[in-house]
Amino acid sequence: SGREKDSTMLAMQATSTLIRGLVSTPLGQVHYCDHRPSSSSPPPVAGILLPLICLHMSPRSTDEYLEAGRLLAASGRRVIAIDEPGYGLSDNPSKPCNLHDIADGVVKVADELGIARFHVAGSLMGALTSLSLASRYPDRACALVATHLYFWPEDQVAKAKEEAA
């Protein structure tokens, strides 16, 4: 019911802290939501509960990870959701960019927040950015969760184009 959901949300807010901020990157200001465990949250097990950086699908924003961030922070994990350039409260890219450029901006956010090693999760476009980040920064990204991936075999693409013509 609505009352149960309200009480659950209040309990989550009481056991985690949300800090919002902006980091300057070569593509412009990037917005993040940093869900931090409170002092009453369970202590992380050494090396297991590395911070989790979350990258949203297009055309979403950090709102995609709002509830999960609160729940995970309440259980002791730090969760940072990032608005990719051009989405949410981040600036539109200041120049043409690709997934590698966006991934470099994610590392810049991690650096500014003092996070040396982390897990990364992404959905759709965020999954592709996460793959770029994890493959180019294996010493930083210790694990990857990619959701909503899709693959279109070339023969299926050709067939769809043929049918559309």
Side-chain angles (χ1 to χ4, degrees):
S1 76
R3 291 181 75 165
E4 289 172 351
K5 184 176 180 182
D6 289 343
S7 65
T8 301
M9 291 302 285
L10 286 173
M12 286 189 299
Q13 290 172 355
T15 57
S16 65
T17 302
L18 174 61
I19 299 168
R20 298 175 187 269
L22 294 168
V23 172
S24 293
T25 75
L27 298 177
Q29 294 280 305
V30 171
H31 171 257
Y32 65 87
C33 291
D34 186 354
H35 299 270
R36 295 183 181 194
S38 72
S39 58
S40 64
S41 298
V45 177
I48 295 176
L49 291 182
L50 288 174
L52 174 64
I53 295 178
C54 300
L55 303 173
H56 60 81
M57 68 175 72
S58 172
R60 294 285 301 267
S61 67
T62 57
D63 74 322
E64 184 174 351
Y65 295 103
L66 187 61
E67 288 185 43
R70 287 179 179 153
L71 287 169
L72 290 168
S75 70
R77 182 182 301 276
R78 184 177 180 188
V79 178
I80 299 91
I82 295 175
D83 281 334
E84 296 172 46
Y87 297 92
L89 298 175
S90 289
D91 290 346
N92 286 328
S94 58
K95 60 183 180 181
C97 63
N98 58 37
L99 293 173
H100 298 313
D101 298 325
I102 296 169
D104 292 343
V106 171
V107 171
K108 175 81 168 150
V109 172
D111 289 344
E112 290 290 321
L113 295 175
I115 300 171
R117 297 176 62 235
F118 49 84
H119 300 300
V120 62
S123 175
L124 287 172
M125 184 180 104
L128 300 175
T129 304
S130 296
L131 286 167
S132 168
L133 190 158
S135 67
R136 293 181 316 111
Y137 297 94
D139 56 322
R140 306 283 306 267
C142 300
L144 165 69
V145 177
T147 62
H148 302 105
L149 290 171
Y150 56 90
F151 172 72
W152 295 99
E154 289 184 33
D155 62 330
Q156 295 296 317
V157 171
K159 180 180 175 186
K161 286 180 179 179
E162 196 174 284
E163 290 172 357

